[in-house]
Amino acid sequence: MIKIFSRYTFLLPLLFSFNVIANEGLNLDLAILKINQEVKSLNNEILSLKDDIELLRENQRLNSEKITELLQMIEINQSGNTKSVQSNSTEQGTKSSKFFSDGKNAFVLGNYEKSIELFLDHLKTSPSSLSETDTMLWLGRAYFYSESFLDSKASYLEYQSMGQDHPKFADSLYELSKVLMKLDESDQAKLLLNEMITEYPDHPLSSKASALLQNL
């Protein structure tokens, strides 16, 4: 009887240790599974953050461009006002310029519908040919951000038809390609992106154009 009891007392610690090891193995598997799930979730968050960062950078670029052009317009307006004589034609020009500058202000503030309205008012007041060209470009941008993609496409095409001498022509190729992608016109978007990369290889947006092209 004593021998049997001593055997049991010897086996009990072993059985207990095996049970602990088994439980620890189970806990380890659960821990690894949980870590894998967390890593996957973290990877998804990182990808989402990358997209957000890219969007922020693009918005920052556009905002910087908007502010620069707004300051240029203010300087032009101030210069024009000091050199002009007050007359009916001057008042009309000032009113037209105000529509344009107010339209760009509304765009900068994210009020795209209002900016479209002001740009269209500007076009109705017989602007100069250069100002008209600028307006069509900004209309393309405003329509894009208000998700009126067909109107955006028409505005960009009208802008581009006015000639390639405009300083923002290369930008328009990249921006119009994004509009065409929204309209599922990938083949035409590819042509524009290839044209931009070929004709303007040193342009700041060329790398973005290449990245877009790879995704098409």
Side-chain angles (χ1 to χ4, degrees), residues 158-175:
E158 180 68 19
Y159 163 80
Q160 292 177 354
S161 71
M162 295 176 178
Q164 298 187 13
D165 296 331
H166 193 273
K168 296 297 181 182
F169 187 84
D171 299 62
S172 75
L173 296 175
Y174 172 77
E175 292 171 15

Side-chain angles (χ1 to χ4, degrees), residues 100-153:
F100 184 59
S101 60
D102 286 350
K104 293 176 83 172
N105 280 328
F107 183 89
V108 169
L109 295 173
N111 193 349
Y112 304 119
E113 297 296 335
K114 184 63 177 178
S115 69
I116 291 169
E117 178 185 332
L118 290 164
F119 289 142
L120 292 176
D121 286 340
H122 174 66
L123 292 175
K124 294 175 184 177
T125 56
S126 302
S128 66
S129 58
L130 177 60
S131 181
E132 183 179 1
T133 305
D134 289 338
T135 304
M136 295 311 301
L137 176 63
W138 281 98
L139 266 175
R141 292 167 172 171
Y143 278 128
F144 175 79
Y145 283 102
S146 64
E147 299 185 354
S148 300
F149 300 122
L150 286 174
D151 289 326
S152 179
K153 176 184 175 181

Side-chain angles (χ1 to χ4, degrees), residues 32-126:
I32 292 173
L33 178 61
K34 184 177 180 181
I35 289 171
N36 287 336
Q37 290 174 341
E38 291 178 352
V39 169
K40 184 177 180 181
S41 176
L42 184 59
N43 286 336
N44 290 334
E45 289 180 9
I46 290 172
L47 290 175
S48 177
L49 285 173
K50 286 182 178 178
D51 291 338
D52 290 342
I53 290 171
E54 182 66 20
L55 181 59
L56 285 172
R57 286 176 177 170
E58 180 66 11
N59 287 336
Q60 184 179 17
R61 183 191 69 81
L62 280 174
N63 287 334
S64 297
E65 182 179 283
K66 297 170 198 172
I67 292 170
T68 299
E69 294 199 14
L70 279 171
L71 291 174
Q72 290 173 349
M73 282 303 303
I74 291 171
E75 291 175 0
I76 292 171
N77 290 339
Q78 289 176 342
S79 176
N81 288 337
T82 57
K83 294 179 181 179
S84 63
V85 178
Q86 193 70 18
S87 64
N88 289 335
S89 60
T90 303
E91 290 175 1
Q92 181 71 8
T94 302
K95 183 178 181 181
S96 178
S97 296
K98 190 174 189 309
F99 281 138
F100 184 59
S101 60
D102 286 350
K104 293 176 83 172
N105 280 328
F107 183 89
V108 169
L109 295 173
N111 193 349
Y112 304 119
E113 297 296 335
K114 184 63 177 178
S115 69
I116 291 169
E117 178 185 332
L118 290 164
F119 289 142
L120 292 176
D121 286 340
H122 174 66
L123 292 175
K124 294 175 184 177
T125 56
S126 302

